[in-house]
Amino acid sequence: MPNTEEILARTGGRPLTHVLYSAERIAERVAEVGREITDAIPADEELLVLGTLKGSFIFLSDLVRQIRRPMEVDFLVASSYGSETTSSGKVDLLYDNTAPIEGRHVILVEDIVDSGTTLNRLLPLLDARGPRSLEVCALLHKHIAPDLYREPRWVGFDCPQEFVIGYGLDHSEQFRNLPFIGAIEP
Ligand code: IMP
Ligand code: MG
């Protein structure tokens, strides 16, 4: 676990309420999920791993290195949060991926499933492009989404209903670079 001095140096003095997942614990879990994905997709069929920016950039980069098979990686930019800590209920698609989806196994990689608005917007759009399969891999799942289009097949951690930062997750675009995941008072 990081010590208090290390945490405050990285947050610029803003205290965390607590550290939820250490870098070591995240690495172990990401390796497990990577093994599960490797086993789940037939080796001779095409895989596209699609990350949602910006929040999934660190998770995705660690995860794809734990998936032992050929793949293509691409990104989508979906924005549902400004500087608020509650979901705006609106999702803008700022960048649409260019990698072909039809006939391929597609795994959408999300940092966190909160209200479910982002997944409920993106999944039907991707499904309409005729993937061979379309599954979600989420690092964190708060289990508060009332009505998800599809439950994530792979989840890193079931997360408490707190505002979490680090390992790619931000608050007002800050704290993405923390190597661990912590909670702050919003
Ligand atoms: P949803 O559409 O409400 O499920 O939320 C999706 C997006 O909101 C995530 O991809 C995150 O970028 C952001 N988000 C939701 N909860 C948190 C949180 O606790 N910390 C940081 N970002 C969050
Ligand atoms: Mg975000």
Side-chain angles (χ1 to χ4, degrees):
M1 277 291 181
N3 64 37
T4 310
E5 200 185 330
E6 157 83 355
I7 292 169
L8 294 177
R10 290 197 184 251
T11 63
R14 180 154 177 173
L16 302 180
T17 52
H18 56 127
V19 174
L20 285 164
Y21 311 108
S22 67
E24 295 73 23
R25 186 152 172 229
I26 295 169
E28 272 172 33
R29 184 66 192 127
V30 171
E32 280 171 12
V33 173
R35 279 194 293 275
E36 287 173 23
I37 292 175
T38 307
D39 293 344
I41 312 289
D44 57 343
E45 294 170 14
E46 281 188 76
L47 173 63
L48 169 65
V49 176
L50 260 186
T52 55
L53 290 175
K54 303 174 202 169
S56 75
F57 83 107
I58 295 181
F59 175 45
L60 180 122
S61 64
D62 283 344
L63 179 68
V64 292
R65 284 177 288 176
Q66 298 296 336
I67 302 176
R68 290 173 171 78
R69 51 154 297 138
M71 71 176 71
E72 191 170 332
V73 177
D74 204 349
F75 294 94
L76 289 167
V77 183
S79 164
S80 72
Y81 273 65
S83 53
E84 304 301 322
T85 51
T86 54
S87 183
S88 65
K90 188 170 157 282
V91 178
D92 291 324
L93 201 53
L94 305 175
Y95 167 79
D96 200 355
N97 65 297
T98 49
I101 283 175
E102 194 178 343
R104 308 168 96 185
H105 296 282
V106 176
I107 301 178
L108 185 67
V109 177
E110 260 279 46
D111 51 355
I112 185 165
V113 184
D114 182 29
S115 71
T117 313
T118 307
L119 283 186
N120 286 346
R121 166 92 203 277
L122 295 181
L123 288 172
L125 288 177
L126 296 171
D127 249 347
R129 297 177 194 175
R132 180 160 189 165
S133 69
L134 173 62
E135 302 284 359
V136 176
C137 176
L139 174 64
L140 303 173
H141 192 346
K142 285 190 187 167
H143 292 282
I144 53 172
D147 194 16
L148 271 187
Y149 179 88
R150 186 164 303 152
E151 275 296 328
R153 177 161 175 191
W154 299 280
V155 173
F157 302 102
D158 294 321
C159 172
Q161 292 168 29
E162 294 173 88
F163 197 81
V164 296
I165 54 165
Y167 198 69
L169 290 134
D170 73 302
H171 177 244
S172 299
E173 295 301 330
Q174 293 293 307
F175 315 120
R176 294 193 196 274
N177 60 318
L178 305 185
F180 46 84
I181 294 171
I184 50 166
E185 298 287 353

